[in-house]
Amino acid sequence: MTDSTKSKSRTLLGRLREALAGEGEGQERLDRITQIIAESMECEVCSIYLFRDDETLELCATQGLNPESVHQTRMRLGEGLVGRVAKTSHVVNTADAPSSRGFRFMPETGEEVFPSFLGVPIQRLGERLGVLVVQSREARKFTDDEVYALEVVAMVVAEMTELGAFVGEGAALSARHQQPVLFRGGVGQEGAGMGHVYLHEPRVVVTNPIADDPHAELARLHDAVDALRVSVDEMLATAGNGKGTGHKEQMQVLETYRMFANSKGWMRRMEEDIARGLSAEAAVEKEQSAARTRMGQVTDAYLRERLHDLDDLSNRLLRILTGQGNNTGAEMPDDPVLVARNIGPAELLEYGRKLRGIVLEEGSVGSHAAIVARALAIPLVIHAERITTEALNGDPIMVDGDQGIVHLRPDETVVEAFKDKIAMLAKEQERYASIRDEPAKTRDGKVISLSMNAGLIADLPSLESSGAEGVGLFRTELQFLIRNKMPKRAELAALYTRVIKAAKGQRVVFRTLDIGSDKVLPYMKPQDEPNPALGWRAIRVGLDKPGVMRMQLQALIRASDGKPLTVMFPFIAQFNEYRAARALLEQVLKREKRLGRPVPKVEVGAMLETPSLAFAPRKFFEEVDFISIGGNDLKQFFFAADRENERVRKRYDTLNVSFLSLIERIVERCDETGTPVSFCGEDAGRPVEALCFAAMGLRALSMRPASIGPVKSLLRRANLDQVKAVIDEARARGDQSVRPAVMGWLRGR
């Protein structure tokens, strides 16, 4: 690239800055910009198209086309060459626009006399804002230098659009970050909450996209990159002291950081951007935007992760350049709703119960964040795409975890309707409080035991307030997930002691370490598996790593201090796995007894999460002390439907007659041997599902504390024999699901 080309680009950006700094409304600025670009690039036409909504582009300014077509010409995403640029985020450069794929003739613009067409996307950090176009009468393709120059200009237009330089009349020129926005995501944790946005990682705002002195900007960039490299080297040195597979994984990520930080190509592109006239921050963000765009188009999981690494590294570099750091000085509101791209369990626990809601761009129903959100009973919506680029600190926000919907900056009618919903939920909770100490006894005299799921010591106060009859599942993996190294036996023993004391004599079922699949320890990560849900996880890890399992069992035994202890092994798929795990427990008990420590009477159970265990030999049901049906996993394996896959997760109903028949068969087998059986999982906390489980013979359910009231309320008003009759009739008819029949029966009552 010649110095004269760079100088020409800097001159163009200098003129743009003057135009933007001058007085005038947004429309006047846009008009001046199109005129300056057309003159500088020696083209007859320059046009700016901006999105008026997610699917529609509008011509907002032009030099050379019919001025009457401004704000009148619109096209759908993907329609015409402009729509093609917007949809693909790729440059279109052609000498014969009318013959190009996707061309749409718009007679009102008068563009038919301009065959040459160059369109580049106006985007910021992967968010599409519009399209910048230049056209010429001369039939020619634009040079690489001209394409590059227009991309640099588009970057500046994107930054100024973000900063509100082009606010005017109409939807396409409306002020950004001020309009109500509805986000549809996935349900991570049910419930409803409203408050104000608190960004976990506030965006770095680039207020000076155009540079005065390229040499000074290059020096700033080099200094910042040097500081970045030093920080990565320091992180590597610190991580180098660790051990284990997870340590290796952390080292691999940091080595990737080091590779990008020392990438000559990355550095050269940013230096070129600065030579063109961008500031150091704008040059970094331009490369980051390109990486974000590629990220959205890459299907390979490994490449996506590497692009995530580059994105994270760019954020670090921007914070060094701007001095903004992670803490921008924004105060946490009194009613915070946390908004983040993603978040780890330890970071989420630091925020604690003060959060009114959580909204993530990524995440999954089984992610660490979702597990913690459930433990804290905080409404969580996942897969809320683009919310981190749209939300600002302090924006009013409402989270509907029941529907997976987020209202950002809602209008008054939505606010009032949402307040009504929250008030109704609060009123229901008051009603449930009145039956808190009453048994879940049905109209036909059957009593269902309702216990709660927990994973944090902070959950235990809910035992009394919810009316739960003990803890049907205590997730011990949370204490492993929130650390960056293996916890010590003494630490675990102290925690389990506090849990047992907080339960005040009520039964606590401690599930041994359930990791793998969607719960990966940062310090003990296995090699990548094609399908981790079917891979090395839960009891398989425990039996292959007996030292870890032995340490946890020792901690549980010591915490019990001779009092009765209940232990449950997760993900048992066949009888010999249960026998091997129980044998390991017996070894630990004998050793503790030899050491003179008090040994408890231990009740040992298995979690039935695979269909195979439902057909285990009778001897298994005779030997196991109790069985807990793990509904979440059992359902995904029964229907071969990954619960992390939104396309299939909701395709299969829990009240499908086949699944209910499996539950009924498990109950029958347990009844034959007198083996206590319960159902544990999200579905246990849904009143209609709980009612049907009880009708199939289950007499114990375990759920999140907030669900106990609604479930108990419905059970106390129902006759299980009648519900069973409705289910049997639906099965006899050949219904796929009993839900319509049961719902019809409930409405009829």
Side-chain angles (χ1 to χ4, degrees):
M1 191 181 299
T2 64
D3 287 339
S4 62
T5 303
K6 295 175 184 175
S7 177
K8 188 175 181 180
S9 176
R10 287 199 298 272
T11 302
L12 168 56
L13 289 180
R15 291 185 64 190
L16 286 179
R17 182 171 55 191
E18 291 173 7
L20 292 167
E23 296 292 327
E25 300 295 325
Q27 185 64 56
E28 294 176 57
R29 287 175 169 171
L30 275 177
D31 293 340
R32 284 203 299 269
I33 285 173
T34 55
Q35 180 184 353
I36 289 168
I37 295 171
E39 290 174 357
S40 299
M41 296 194 68
E42 298 176 355
C43 296
E44 286 84 3
V45 175
C46 174
S47 305
I48 293 176
Y49 296 81
L50 298 176
F51 279 100
R52 59 179 287 112
D53 57 49
D54 288 343
E55 295 293 325
T56 313
L57 286 152
E58 181 177 301
L59 176 62
C60 289
T62 185
Q63 172 71 24
L65 298 183
N66 182 358
E68 293 181 1
S69 62
V70 173
H71 299 303
Q72 301 304 313
T73 296
R74 293 171 188 166
M75 62 199 71
R76 305 289 290 171
L77 186 65
E79 183 182 12
L81 297 185
V82 173
R84 184 173 133 199
V85 173
K87 184 174 183 178
T88 64
S89 295
H90 290 158
V91 172
V92 172
N93 182 10
T94 176
D96 186 7
S99 301
S100 297
R101 174 174 59 87
F103 177 79
R104 174 197 161 196
F105 178 54
M106 295 179 291
E108 73 274 15
T109 66
E111 68 173 343
E112 65 273 13
V113 296
F114 305 108
S116 292
F117 177 98
L118 170 60
V120 302
I122 301 172
Q123 57 189 0
R124 184 178 185 273
L125 300 180
E127 183 185 12
R128 299 177 301 205
L129 302 176
V131 178
L132 177 59
V133 175
V134 291
Q135 295 171 272
S136 175
R137 277 197 176 87
E138 179 188 352
R140 67 182 183 91
K141 283 191 76 172
F142 290 86
T143 67
D144 290 344
D145 284 347
E146 288 173 316
V147 173
Y148 191 93
L150 201 63
E151 286 180 322
V152 171
V153 171
M155 162 78 191
V156 173
V157 172
E159 287 297 332
M160 302 317 294
T161 302
E162 175 72 11
L163 293 171
F166 309 125
V167 175
E169 293 184 12
L173 296 185
S174 62
R176 294 180 58 73
H177 310 296
Q178 292 185 19
Q179 304 302 315
V181 186
L182 172 69
F183 295 90
R184 295 187 183 276
V187 176
Q189 163 62 20
E190 296 164 345
M194 61 188 299
H196 292 85
V197 169
Y198 188 74
L199 292 168
H200 177 55
E201 290 183 333
R203 287 195 315 277
V204 174
V205 180
V206 177
T207 56
N208 59 329
I210 304 169
D212 284 321
D213 184 350
H215 297 293
E217 293 303 306
L218 281 171
R220 289 181 64 236
L221 178 68
H222 289 156
D223 288 345
V225 170
D226 286 344
L228 179 68
R229 288 170 179 162
V230 168
S231 70
V232 171
D233 288 342
E234 287 174 348
M235 285 190 289
L236 268 164
T238 302
N241 298 323
K243 294 179 181 178
T245 310
H247 156 69
K248 292 177 184 175
E249 186 68 22
Q250 185 183 9
M251 291 289 286
Q252 287 173 4
V253 171
L254 292 173
E255 286 290 0
T256 305
Y257 278 14
R258 175 185 270 173
M259 180 189 74
F260 282 132
N262 290 281
S263 167
K264 292 181 179 177
W266 186 48
M267 195 70 184
R268 187 186 65 251
R269 289 191 298 272
M270 292 188 293
E271 288 171 342
E272 288 282 0
D273 294 332
I274 289 172
R276 286 281 191 175
L278 291 183
S279 66
E281 291 90 337
V284 174
E285 198 170 271
K286 182 174 179 292
E287 287 305 307
Q288 188 180 17
S289 289
R292 283 268 182 105
T293 301
R294 291 196 298 273
M295 202 185 301
Q297 297 164 349
V298 168
T299 54
D300 182 87
Y302 176 81
L303 288 178
R304 281 183 65 84
E305 281 302 313
R306 297 294 72 80
L307 287 168
H308 268 300
D309 293 338
L310 179 56
D311 192 50
D312 184 55
L313 205 65
S314 298
N315 277 330
R316 290 171 184 267
L317 186 54
L318 279 170
R319 296 189 190 287
I320 292 170
L321 278 166
T322 60
Q324 291 182 21
N326 278 323
N327 184 4
T328 57
E331 288 188 16
M332 182 180 287
D334 294 331
D335 52 358
V337 172
L338 189 70
V339 174
R341 198 170 76 187
N342 217 334
I343 189 169
E347 294 171 304
L348 189 50
L349 279 171
E350 285 181 14
Y351 288 106
R353 296 179 185 272
K354 68 185 104 174
L355 297 177
R356 299 290 181 87
I358 307 164
V359 186
L360 302 179
E361 281 194 1
E362 298 172 3
S364 64
V365 292
S367 66
H368 306 163
I371 294 166
V372 174
R374 286 187 204 113
L376 298 175
I378 300 171
L380 166 66
V381 171
I382 56 176
H383 304 308
E385 295 181 8
R386 298 190 302 104
I387 192 163
T388 58
T389 56
E390 179 61 45
L392 297 178
N393 272 323
D395 278 344
I397 186 171
M398 301 187 306
V399 182
D400 188 338
D402 300 320
Q403 304 295 324
I405 291 173
V406 179
H407 299 275
L408 182 65
R409 298 184 290 268
D411 60 36
E412 198 56 37
T413 55
V414 175
V415 171
E416 290 305 315
F418 202 81
K419 282 181 178 177
D420 288 344
K421 176 175 182 173
I422 290 177
M424 187 172 66
L425 290 173
K427 194 171 183 180
E428 286 180 356
Q429 289 300 326
E430 288 177 15
R431 180 162 56 88
Y432 302 144
S434 67
I435 59 171
R436 182 185 60 196
D437 299 323
E438 300 294 328
K441 188 174 182 179
T442 63
R443 290 282 176 89
D444 50 339
K446 299 178 178 72
V447 179
I448 315 299
S449 173
L450 305 181
S451 55
M452 61 174 264
N453 299 333
L456 299 166
I457 189 69
D459 294 333
L460 272 299
S462 297
L463 253 177
E464 188 174 343
S465 61
S466 67
E469 302 170 50
V471 178
L473 169 66
F474 189 88
R475 304 182 185 92
T476 61
E477 60 272 8
L478 281 180
Q479 300 310 314
F480 288 77
L481 288 168
I482 62 178
R483 299 163 183 257
N484 53 24
K485 63 180 181 180
M486 185 74 71
K488 295 178 180 177
R489 181 176 52 204
E491 293 172 334
L492 291 178
L495 170 74
Y496 301 151
T497 299
R498 290 167 60 203
V499 171
I500 292 169
K501 286 181 177 177
K504 297 178 180 177
Q506 295 206 68
R507 181 174 181 256
V508 179
V509 179
F510 288 96
R511 183 177 68 186
T512 60
L513 190 57
D514 184 6
I515 57 167
S517 184
D518 48 18
K519 299 189 285 288
V520 177
L521 299 185
Y523 45 87
M524 202 171 83
K525 185 176 180 182
Q527 296 300 311
D528 286 343
E529 297 179 287
N531 192 338
L534 298 173
W536 194 62
R537 54 176 294 199
I539 197 63
R540 298 168 183 176
V541 177
L543 294 176
D544 288 353
K545 297 273 188 182
V548 176
M549 190 165 169
R550 193 178 293 115
M551 181 269 288
Q552 185 181 24
L553 292 172
Q554 288 170 342
L556 285 165
I557 290 166
R558 293 178 188 183
S560 70
D561 195 28
K563 298 181 183 70
L565 174 67
T566 306
V567 173
M568 178 168 64
F569 297 116
F571 205 64
I572 299 291
Q574 54 186 8
F575 187 13
N576 71 346
E577 290 174 338
Y578 173 75
R579 274 188 161 166
R582 184 154 191 162
L584 187 61
L585 172 60
E586 295 295 340
Q587 291 172 15
V588 174
L589 284 167
K590 287 178 182 177
R591 184 177 183 276
E592 291 296 296
K593 191 172 184 178
R594 282 199 309 270
L595 293 172
R597 293 193 173 93
V599 173
K601 180 184 178 183
V602 185
E603 188 183 15
V604 188
M607 206 154 196
L608 193 158
E609 299 170 88
T610 63
S612 64
L613 199 63
F615 300 93
R618 178 186 174 93
K619 190 69 176 170
F620 164 73
F621 290 90
E622 291 173 345
E623 287 192 14
V624 72
D625 292 335
F626 67 92
I627 284 173
S628 178
I629 299 170
N632 297 341
D633 265 328
L634 182 62
K635 184 178 168 185
Q636 79 165 337
F637 296 131
F638 185 77
F639 290 113
D642 182 1
R643 63 192 179 109
E644 300 298 324
N645 186 331
E646 292 297 318
R647 291 182 177 177
V648 299
R649 186 168 73 88
K650 297 179 182 177
R651 194 183 189 100
Y652 301 97
D653 190 357
T654 306
L655 300 187
N656 180 290
V657 293
S658 301
F659 189 68
L660 285 182
S661 295
L662 175 65
I663 299 296
E664 185 178 42
R665 178 62 183 140
I666 295 168
V667 171
E668 288 171 353
R669 295 207 67 188
C670 289
D671 286 347
E672 289 169 8
T673 55
T675 308
V677 59
S678 64
F679 187 101
C680 174
E682 292 173 37
D683 288 321
R686 297 188 171 111
V688 176
E689 280 83 340
L691 178 66
C692 291
F693 293 154
M696 303 316 285
L698 283 165
R699 294 296 175 263
L701 305 172
S702 189
M703 62 202 72
R704 65 190 181 103
S707 297
I708 290 174
V711 168
K712 184 185 288 188
S713 176
L714 182 58
L715 287 172
R716 285 170 57 84
R717 291 180 285 123
N719 181 306
L720 292 188
D721 289 337
Q722 292 177 4
V723 178
K724 182 66 162 55
V726 172
I727 291 173
D728 288 342
E729 287 173 11
R731 286 197 286 195
R733 285 195 303 270
D735 292 358
Q736 180 168 287
S737 170
V738 306
R739 188 178 299 278
V742 172
M743 293 300 292
W745 178 80
L746 285 170
R747 282 193 292 269
R749 292 179 66 251

